[in-house]
Amino acid sequence: MTAKGAGAVPRTTTQATAAATGGGQPTIISIAERAGVSIASVSRVLNGIGARPATVEKVERAAAELGYVPNAVARSLKDGRTRQLTFAMPDIGNPVYVAMVRAIQSVAKAAGYRLLLHSTDAVAEDELAVLRSLGDRTSDGLILCPIRITDAHVDALRSASGPVVVIGSLPSGVPVDSVRADSVEGVALAVRHLYETGRRRIAFVNGPADTVPGRKRGEGFRKALADCGLVYDPELVVHTDFGIESGATAAESLLDLRPDAVFGANDQLALGAARALHARGLRIPEDVAVAGMDDSVLAQAGWPPLTSVDLGSTERGRRAAELLLHRLDTPEAPGSTAENPAPRSTTAPPRLVVRASTGRAAPDS
């Protein structure tokens, strides 16, 4: 027996909790004893079934004091759900996907779900592996953001063993919910703006032509030029990967052609182009205007701040999460069958954000 007085050692919170729970993990029995309520009341509160406010307060206080942690595994065995969602994206370092993560996380958290993140590096096999992993029941559903859609993707999406929402464009007939960006209209907004500021030789630094964004933005660029009465010049178009260094290299190869504007298919490419212009001693926007797409946090970080097209990254993430949760709650949409659920698709509208990088052209341009 420990003597009282000067030699007594105060018990730590951990020791006190261990004593209250018999040295093991807190249980509904120990919580009921601490709260002074019935075991049934504790069960109702912990499972969110409902109880009187005073009872809820007592149980939650007792659970916190005892360090109770809900057993997610046991709960998932009971209702067949892990309460986890997965988001697979091409590049976890790209601010566009960071914005999506934050939006998805906010919706998932409010609904009581955790979010698992997976960076695929745009490797098809990695994306297909994530799709197949739905059968392992490590998460209840998947939000996938591929930049290429192959026949293997289509087959895997058709046979997915859990609900999937794709952020991006899909071929018709794929029974999967999707959220799209209107890249064609987004490019038109940027090109029209450059035209209205007096630019006539608009160079385009695009992403890989075999990607969905690269193809859609290329189509949009051709259409926008035609709408403005400008002739498409293939020498003013370069395809590369979606990175800052690639944007600088691509823009450097275009500058001898004397463009009066450089449009990047994303902000990273546009900022790379701006770096190449600075290296040549060219002024932005006095000598060459620069514009990008995505309106990521990078657009405001450069100097001068970058005009960019907001493709609704946050909005697309939010809508994708809401579609996935709705699919989990109502697997069969109106007019669908269990074997062929009717897919739902939504498009986030683009918005041009004008900043200093595209000021007006000189009067004699």
Side-chain angles (χ1 to χ4, degrees):
M1 181 178 295
T2 304
K4 295 181 179 180
V9 178
R11 294 194 304 175
T12 64
T13 301
T14 301
Q15 290 169 333
T17 300
T21 61
Q25 292 297 319
T27 65
I28 61 173
I29 297 174
S30 58
I31 293 172
E33 291 175 351
R34 173 64 70 92
V37 300
S38 68
I39 294 173
S41 294
V42 174
S43 179
R44 284 196 297 272
V45 172
L46 295 181
N47 285 288
I49 297 174
R52 290 183 299 173
T55 302
V56 172
E57 183 181 353
K58 289 179 182 179
V59 171
E60 290 180 345
R61 185 189 307 117
E65 290 172 352
L66 294 174
Y68 173 77
V69 177
N71 189 330
V73 174
R75 185 173 295 175
S76 69
L77 291 173
K78 180 179 179 180
D79 63 11
R81 291 194 181 183
T82 65
R83 309 300 295 183
Q84 295 186 148
L85 306 177
T86 299
F87 177 41
M89 75 210 86
D91 180 5
I92 201 168
N94 188 322
V96 169
Y97 301 118
V98 173
M100 289 182 184
V101 167
R102 288 174 175 160
I104 295 168
Q105 167 91 1
S106 178
V107 174
K109 185 177 180 180
Y113 284 83
R114 291 181 295 273
L115 184 62
L116 307 178
L117 302 180
H118 189 97
S119 185
T120 65
D121 294 322
V123 175
E125 275 306 316
D126 207 356
E127 292 166 347
L128 295 173
V130 175
L131 274 165
R132 296 187 200 104
S133 72
L134 280 171
D136 300 335
R137 303 302 302 156
T138 53
S139 69
D140 298 327
L142 169 67
I143 297 173
L144 180 66
C145 194
I147 62 172
R148 295 177 178 87
I149 295 291
T150 65
D151 291 341
H153 282 89
V154 172
D155 291 341
L157 288 167
R158 289 184 184 278
S159 60
S161 55
V164 181
V165 175
V166 169
I167 297 181
S169 298
L170 285 171
S172 60
V174 180
V176 170
D177 299 331
S178 63
V179 182
R180 309 176 184 213
D182 191 344
S183 292
V184 173
E185 176 58 22
V187 171
L189 292 175
V191 172
R192 280 199 299 267
H193 168 68
L194 291 169
Y195 181 84
E196 289 167 0
T197 63
R199 316 296 168 169
R200 298 296 181 265
R201 287 185 57 76
I202 303 172
F204 184 35
V205 180
N206 196 3
D210 66 336
T211 65
V212 175
R215 185 175 68 255
K216 290 288 185 182
R217 294 171 198 190
E219 292 172 2
F221 185 68
R222 281 177 174 267
K223 182 178 184 300
L225 288 179
D227 290 344
C228 292
L230 299 177
V231 177
Y232 175 82
D233 183 351
E235 290 191 349
L236 288 174
V237 178
V238 175
H239 287 275
T240 185
D241 61 63
F242 288 108
I244 292 177
E245 293 297 333
S246 298
T249 301
E252 175 62 32
S253 72
L254 292 166
L255 293 182
D256 289 339
L257 300 175
R258 303 182 66 81
D260 55 17
V262 178
F263 174 45
N266 71 358
D267 290 341
Q268 291 166 295
L269 291 173
L271 289 173
R275 179 190 296 177
L277 292 170
H278 286 307
R280 282 280 192 105
L282 295 169
R283 299 168 301 165
I284 303 171
E286 291 84 359
D287 298 321
V288 183
V290 180
M293 292 193 81
D294 291 327
D295 193 36
S296 66
V297 294
L298 295 176
Q300 299 179 54
W303 186 258
L306 183 67
T307 289
S308 186
V309 179
D310 181 359
L311 291 174
S313 301
T314 297
E315 180 68 8
R316 282 183 285 158
R318 181 187 65 78
R319 291 188 187 185
E322 290 175 347
L323 279 173
L324 185 58
L325 291 174
H326 181 71
R327 181 64 74 182
L328 284 166
D329 291 337
T330 55
E332 295 184 30
S336 68
T337 65
E339 293 78 20
N340 186 28
R344 292 157 295 179
S345 179
T346 179
T347 302
R351 179 176 63 93
L352 179 69
V353 181
V354 178
R355 299 190 179 93
S357 68
T358 56
R360 293 216 161 259
D364 59 348
S365 64

